Amino acid sequence: MNLTYLGLCLACLGVSIAEGMIMSNLFKAAARQPEIIGQLRSLLILGVAFVEGTFFVTLAMSFVIK
């Protein structure tokens, strides 16, 4: 049971790091070329959705294993 929570905490840590990296790279790209911010916004939403989806699958599996 404790290992399930540890795995969930590690998954949450990975999600936080990944979203931070996505946002930092978005800001770098927007600073270099501000005219493509519209295209970057759609890619940002897609990237965050995939990262969050991975977290929710991990969350569901932790309850299944439990």
Side-chain angles (χ1 to χ4, degrees):
M1 181 189 237
N2 290 335
L3 289 177
T4 303
Y5 294 130
L6 177 65
L8 187 58
C9 290
L10 289 175
C12 187
L13 177 70
V15 166
S16 300
I17 290 172
E19 285 182 358
M21 290 176 64
I22 289 172
M23 290 302 294
S24 71
N25 288 326
L26 172 81
F27 290 143
K28 287 178 190 176
R32 277 184 258 135
Q33 293 182 344
E35 65 272 2
I36 63 167
I37 193 69
Q39 295 171 353
L40 292 175
R41 187 180 305 122
S42 62
L43 289 174
L44 166 79
I45 292 169
L46 185 65
V48 169
F50 282 131
V51 171
E52 288 290 329
T54 303
F55 172 71
F56 287 128
V57 167
T58 305
L59 178 66
M61 291 308 293
S62 71
F63 288 120
V64 168
I65 292 172
K66 186 176 161 186

